[in-house]
Amino acid sequence: MGARAGGTVAAVFGRFMRNRGGVMSILRVVPVAGAVLAFSAAGMAPAAAQQDVSARDKKWLVQAHQGNLAEVTVGTIARKKGTSKAVRSLGAMLVNDHSRLDRAVQDAARRLGVSLPPEPSTAQKALAARLNAMHGKAFDRAWLNALIKDHRNDLAAAREEVRLGTAADAQHLATVSSPVFRKHLNMLLRARKADPPGHVAAGSGGLATAAPDGRPLALGYGLLSAGLLVTAGGALLWRRPVPWRG
């Protein structure tokens, strides 16, 4: 029994050794084939990811990047100079959200080979400087008006990119950015409605708001009230009978 088992093992080992050349050939071929497949896959990946980047795509990415930088700047200003809690909170939100959006813009631009400028546009920097020079309620109102206009422009540009762009990455980024722009716009509009331009700030003595010609409205209302009282008093005196002395 032991002899037969030993013979069987020897026979199997002999056959393995006779076929060793074929086995070794297969073992040598497998790594080479794997390397070829890996190289081929690596070479095909860029081709599969290649996108048609149009001038519109490049322009939108540049504008989106500069817009994000500008809104981070003015958001930082609002956090420090806003007189209302709403403006300060909105400023902090813009800093956080547009910083995150800009990281996505930079990633997309890197993949698409689009070069981005290092800073906001000249007009955006001028706006930031103008806002930074303002104070009090005038700052809050000017800041809200400027950011409402900017976010309306952001939404319009994103819609155009989704509709007319050619690079899938840029179009996708415009699509996912639009709800953020819409959220910001709605919150900015609510803040402006809660504190409209005609609002008289507490502690201002009623002189915070001016008429179109520059005169304080509260002062005008006071004079009008005084005039009405004088008129009413005169009418009463006129109607009161005067005693005659005889």
Side-chain angles (χ1 to χ4, degrees):
M1 183 70 177
R4 285 200 302 275
T8 301
V9 171
V12 171
F13 182 76
R15 285 197 297 273
F16 173 79
M17 292 302 293
R18 286 194 297 272
N19 295 328
R20 185 176 60 177
V23 173
M24 294 304 293
S25 298
I26 293 174
L27 292 177
R28 284 193 298 269
V29 168
V30 168
V32 175
V36 170
L37 289 173
F39 181 82
S40 299
M44 290 171 62
Q50 188 174 358
Q51 300 177 47
D52 181 14
V53 185
S54 65
R56 179 180 295 276
D57 297 323
K58 294 177 181 178
K59 181 180 178 181
W60 183 78
L61 287 168
V62 167
Q63 289 180 340
H65 173 60
Q66 289 185 306
N68 288 328
L69 294 179
E71 293 190 19
V72 167
T73 299
V74 297
T76 302
I77 294 172
R79 285 195 306 186
K80 298 176 181 178
K81 303 194 67 170
T83 60
S84 72
K85 183 179 178 180
V87 168
R88 293 193 300 272
S89 298
L90 285 167
M93 181 184 68
L94 292 186
V95 171
N96 293 333
D97 289 353
H98 284 277
S99 295
R100 188 178 68 252
L101 286 175
D102 198 54
R103 288 193 290 271
V105 169
Q106 292 186 54
D107 289 343
R110 193 177 302 113
R111 289 193 301 272
L112 298 173
V114 176
S115 178
L116 299 176
E119 57 185 9
S121 69
T122 301
Q124 289 165 336
K125 290 189 289 186
L127 173 63
R130 188 161 65 249
L131 290 173
N132 198 38
M134 301 178 76
H135 303 279
K137 284 290 182 181
F139 167 81
D140 286 1
R141 289 192 291 268
W143 188 87
L144 287 169
N145 288 334
L147 271 294
I148 287 169
K149 180 180 178 181
D150 283 349
H151 280 80
R152 283 174 172 158
N153 291 338
D154 290 342
L155 271 172
R159 291 193 192 104
E160 286 294 295
E161 172 60 23
V162 172
R163 189 168 65 91
L164 301 174
T166 57
D169 279 4
Q171 288 178 301
H172 174 72
L173 185 56
T175 300
V176 299
S177 297
S178 292
V180 181
F181 299 152
R182 172 60 63 184
K183 178 190 76 171
H184 291 176
L185 177 58
N186 289 337
M187 295 180 73
L188 290 161
L189 289 169
R190 283 197 296 270
R192 187 172 68 175
K193 185 177 180 181
D195 189 17
H199 175 72
V200 178
S204 65
L207 302 178
T209 307
D213 61 358
R215 293 176 298 174
L217 287 178
L219 178 60
Y221 292 148
L223 293 174
L224 177 61
S225 300
L228 291 173
L229 288 173
V230 170
T231 302
L236 289 174
L237 290 173
W238 180 76
R239 293 175 62 87
R240 183 177 179 180
V242 178
W244 290 92
R245 296 180 181 179

